[in-house]
Amino acid sequence: MRHFRLLAMFAVLLVIQACKHPLEIVGRGDIVDLNDSGHGCTLEQFESQDPACTANEVTDEYDVNYQPVPRAGWEFSHWEGECGPESRFPLCRYNVTSEELAWWEENFAGEEIPPTVAVFK
């Protein structure tokens, strides 16, 4: 029973220290996670409103390099929304520590974060 309580408490802490950072696509292309950290959004996921795109749950640490990958006949134009200060166009980089994420959740829990949008033309 005690083991179950600890697991339940741990699960609650993970939920508390999580935020959503949606990813959106305009045009035809994919947002690829170069760090292979479980983030990213394909065109098919975006069109089906997959939570990988609409929610993009961030827990513990958010260290990711997004690369825009256009589909045939399309080209990447630009990002909309805020990319991290370490970004090097055309990449969009976020490096948010677990402490920064905890601070955000403590001060702005439930506040919607504007999406990062890859625009293809």
Side-chain angles (χ1 to χ4, degrees), residues 89-109:
F89 191 82
L91 300 180
C92 179
R93 177 166 170 72
Y94 290 96
N95 185 3
V96 181
T97 67
S98 54
E99 291 81 15
E100 291 168 326
L101 184 60
W103 176 87
W104 174 267
E105 283 303 304
E106 184 177 313
N107 292 284
F108 301 102

Side-chain angles (χ1 to χ4, degrees), residues 4-90:
F4 177 75
R5 280 190 180 149
L6 286 174
L7 284 175
M9 187 170 69
F10 181 72
V12 168
L13 285 173
L14 281 179
V15 170
I16 288 172
Q17 292 190 4
C19 66
K20 296 177 182 177
H21 182 223
L23 302 173
E24 293 183 8
I25 297 169
V26 172
R28 304 206 41 93
D30 302 314
I31 300 172
V32 175
D33 171 6
L34 294 179
N35 298 62
D36 204 24
S37 64
H39 299 281
C41 175
T42 66
L43 180 61
E44 291 78 17
Q45 287 175 303
F46 178 72
E47 291 175 337
S48 70
Q49 295 295 293
D50 187 310
C53 305
T54 60
N56 190 25
E57 286 279 335
V58 176
T59 58
D60 192 38
E61 187 172 296
Y62 190 37
D63 185 13
V64 65
N65 273 304
Y66 289 123
Q67 177 179 12
V69 179
R71 296 289 176 100
W74 291 79
E75 64 181 42
F76 176 68
S77 174
H78 62 279
W79 292 102
E80 292 180 356
E82 188 174 323
C83 284
E86 298 117 7
S87 294
R88 299 273 192 258
F89 191 82

